Each structure stands twice: as structure tokens, then as C-alpha cells.
Amino acid sequence: MSYQFTAPGEARSWEKTRALAKECVKASQGERPEVRRLKNIYEELRKAKGLSRAGMDALIYQRIYGREPERASNTLKIRYWRTGHHVPVNRDTALSFAWALELPPRDASWFLTAWLDKSLEFYPETPPRQDLLYWQRRRRLEDLASSYLERMSERPPSHLNGIRLLEGGPLSNLRHLYYVDALQYICQEPSSSFWEKHIYSIRYDMELKRSLKLLGEIPRKTMIRHLIILGLPDLSTAWMNEQLAFFGYLPLTPDHTLTGGEYLDRLLLGIFGTYENLKQKNGAENARLWFLNCYRRLDSYFIKNQKNGFRFMYFKSLE
């Protein structure tokens, strides 16, 4: 790595973060806490109904699909869901599963935001103006994007110097600035011409536009990335958790895992806490550089160890 941690506390903070990352990877090899809780819910209902597991799986299948299973293999997906091998392929099927388990509202919310790691609400298309919560959320995200563009315009970080902007005002350049900003976290030494050309970021245009309108299924990890990029340098655990809760996601929780079992929240809590300390000690710009280069090193570690679920700044359009 070309960047060296030289400011007070940076090197030690990196070593602590690297150790935490290794601990989180190791912890992720076990059973998800969310799966253990779902198993308990399932078992309580099964015993209350006096059914075998095969009988209970058949009942759940019938409730979801409106018909009896034709063969034993039909209920394999139910067993895989309740034992943590898979999750339902879409929100509708997941909600049917929750209904089949007779989950009360509070447990249904936990089911969506923790077990499934999704947002509580889902907007397949733009709601009417009467949906005040949606429009409040959308305005907040738009405000974050506008503040980000203003910062990039007034005090662009060194990696954004020389970027050619498009005509049509700042909003026309949001996609490219966001893309280039995200790219620095996983790409160490790109040529200057690569950073300047808008053609490389156009592949992310539709996805980012939908995200800013909160349309479609926006994964929690994607929202975390949006909030990091748009929120720096004013990033903190408290701020991140307030935003996640406002947008309908589970706040960062040390024992929460992604659907693949990754203890990403635990890692993020450690990184954000360290970032806050370094920002107070060394200033916002030094803390931002530490965050950037800390993640670059972590990204290399996760790639090397085939732990892509931990790569919270990566998205497919960057390839």
C-alpha cells in the first residue's frame, strides 16, 4: 500500500480494525442469531399445533401457496428457510412466510429488518403525495445529495480534482461524482483519464436514480454505502443509526448479521467509532483519509479471503 498511516493513532487504529475484521469473519462461520430466533418461533408454533416438523412445513407450504404439497420435496424450501440455508427470493414470498408463521406485528418487523435484512417499507413505484413518510424520506435523501454536491463543489477531495463536469448544473454530475468517489475505495491507482470520463459511470445511472427516489428493493448494505458517501465527513455511529431508522432499516446492531451470516454491523460499529476518535484528534480530512485507506486494505483482505459480503463499499457497476 502506498499510503502510510502517520498521523497520531492511525497505525494503531488500523491494527485494531484489522483484528476486528478477522474476528468478525471468524464469528460469521457460525449460525446466525436471527436463525436461532426464527427456529424458536417455528418450534413454539409447531408444538402448539401438535405437528411434526414435516407436518408443520407442509402447513406453512399450504398457507403460502394455497395448495397442499404434491411431494415431500416441495417443502424443502420451507426447511431451508427456517434452518438458515436460504431466504425467500422476494419480499412477497417472505411476507407470506411470516404470515404462515403467525408472526405478530412486532415480530414481523423484526423478520423483515433483521432476519431478511431489508427495509420495513417497499416502494415499487412513486407513491401519491398523501404518503407523507415516503416524501419525507425522499426529501431527506435529496437533501443529503445536494449537500454532498455542494461540498464537492466548494472543497473537492484530491481524488476528484480534474474531473470534467457535464453541462446542466450540479445534479447532472451527481452520478459521476458518486461513482468516482466510490471507485477510489476499491481501485488503488487508476489513470487520470479513467477518473475523468463520464462514460464509465453511466452504467450506474438508472440504479442511482432509482435509489435517490427510494424505488425498488434497496438493500440495507446499499443504503449504508449511500449514507457513508453522502455523509462524510460528518459521519458517526449515532448519525448513521438515526438515518437507517428513518429510512426504515435496522440500525447498526453488534449481533445482527447479513443473510449470508456476516457480522458486518459489528465491523462498521468499530470503524465508525474509530473514525470519530481520529476525527476529534486529527481533524476531518485526516480522518477521511484514514477511513478511505483503512477500507482499501480491508477490501483487499476480503477479496483475498473470498468474503465479499463484507465489502460494503463495493457494487457491481464498479467492475
Side-chain angles (χ1 to χ4, degrees):
M1 299 289 179
S2 58
Y3 183 87
Q4 299 297 316
F5 294 126
T6 57
E10 285 188 339
R12 179 172 173 78
S13 294
W14 157 245
E15 293 299 331
K16 289 175 62 177
T17 302
R18 180 171 62 178
L20 175 61
K22 291 181 178 179
E23 292 173 9
C24 291
V25 167
K26 184 177 180 180
S28 300
Q29 297 171 0
E31 185 177 62
R32 294 181 68 202
E34 294 86 354
V35 169
R36 288 196 295 271
R37 178 172 170 178
L38 186 68
K39 283 182 176 179
N40 290 335
I41 291 171
Y42 172 93
E43 286 297 322
E44 287 180 7
L45 185 61
R46 181 184 70 81
K47 291 175 181 177
K49 294 186 176 300
L51 296 171
S52 65
R53 290 191 179 92
M56 187 65 193
D57 289 349
L59 174 62
I60 291 173
Y61 181 94
Q62 190 276 330
R63 287 179 169 181
I64 293 174
Y65 298 103
R67 63 181 185 274
E68 299 290 338
E70 297 176 359
R71 56 185 69 89
S73 60
N74 289 150
T75 61
L76 276 178
K77 65 179 71 178
I78 309 300
R79 188 174 75 186
Y80 289 157
W81 296 342
R82 64 176 170 79
T83 56
H85 290 84
H86 299 291
V87 295
V89 295
N90 57 55
R91 179 181 289 258
D92 287 343
T93 304
L95 288 172
S96 295
F97 184 35
W99 171 79
L101 288 169
E102 301 178 13
L103 296 184
R106 184 171 180 177
D107 283 346
S109 297
W110 165 85
F111 178 88
L112 273 176
T113 61
W115 184 78
L116 202 58
D117 202 39
K118 292 185 181 295
S119 60
L120 192 58
E121 288 82 19
F122 169 70
Y123 306 106
E125 57 187 24
T126 304
R129 289 288 174 179
Q130 290 85 350
D131 191 333
L132 297 180
L133 180 58
Y134 166 80
W135 287 101
Q136 288 171 356
R137 288 170 169 171
R138 178 164 165 174
R139 280 194 294 271
R140 179 174 295 193
L141 197 54
E142 290 172 347
D143 288 345
L144 287 172
S146 295
S147 297
Y148 170 78
L149 283 169
E150 186 176 343
R151 288 195 303 276
M152 294 303 103
S153 170
E154 294 178 351
R155 297 183 300 277
S158 58
H159 64 276
L160 293 180
N161 287 336
I163 297 297
R164 290 198 299 268
L165 300 181
L166 299 172
E167 295 182 1
L171 289 176
S172 302
N173 296 288
L174 176 60
R175 181 205 71 228
H176 191 60
L177 289 170
Y178 180 105
Y179 186 89
V180 171
D181 217 354
L183 184 63
Q184 66 172 325
Y185 285 88
I186 67 167
C187 191
Q188 302 298 314
E189 297 177 356
S191 66
S192 59
S193 61
F194 180 91
W195 293 84
E196 295 173 8
K197 294 180 180 178
H198 285 250
I199 191 172
Y200 292 104
S201 65
I202 199 168
R203 70 193 79 176
Y204 190 55
D205 189 65
M206 290 303 297
E207 185 177 345
L208 183 59
K209 284 179 178 177
R210 287 184 64 81
S211 279
L212 290 175
K213 293 178 181 178
L214 297 172
L215 299 179
E217 198 71 77
I218 303 174
R220 180 170 176 265
K221 190 162 64 171
T222 298
M223 182 58 74
I224 288 172
R225 184 184 76 242
H226 290 335
L227 292 171
I228 290 172
I229 290 178
L230 299 179
L232 279 166
D234 299 324
L235 192 63
S236 70
T237 301
W239 182 85
M240 176 62 72
N241 280 345
E242 195 277 327
Q243 303 304 321
L244 286 173
F246 179 77
F247 287 108
Y249 295 88
L250 181 76
L252 296 176
T253 309
D255 290 330
H256 171 64
T257 61
L258 308 187
T259 57
E262 297 89 355
Y263 277 87
L264 178 61
D265 281 32
R266 191 175 296 179
L267 176 63
L268 287 168
L269 286 167
I271 293 174
F272 292 160
T274 301
Y275 171 82
E276 290 178 68
N277 291 334
L278 290 175
K279 181 181 174 183
Q280 185 176 22
K281 184 183 298 183
N282 302 326
E285 179 59 17
N286 282 330
R288 186 194 66 79
L289 286 172
W290 177 88
F291 183 92
L292 164 63
N293 288 280
C294 173
Y295 180 82
R296 282 178 172 174
R297 297 183 186 208
L298 288 176
D299 200 53
S300 297
Y301 168 73
F302 294 139
I303 292 172
K304 181 179 179 181
N305 291 275
Q306 299 181 323
K307 300 297 180 183
N308 289 336
F310 282 97
R311 300 179 68 198
F312 58 91
M313 296 300 286
Y314 167 82
F315 53 99
K316 191 173 182 180
S317 296
L318 290 178
E319 294 177 349

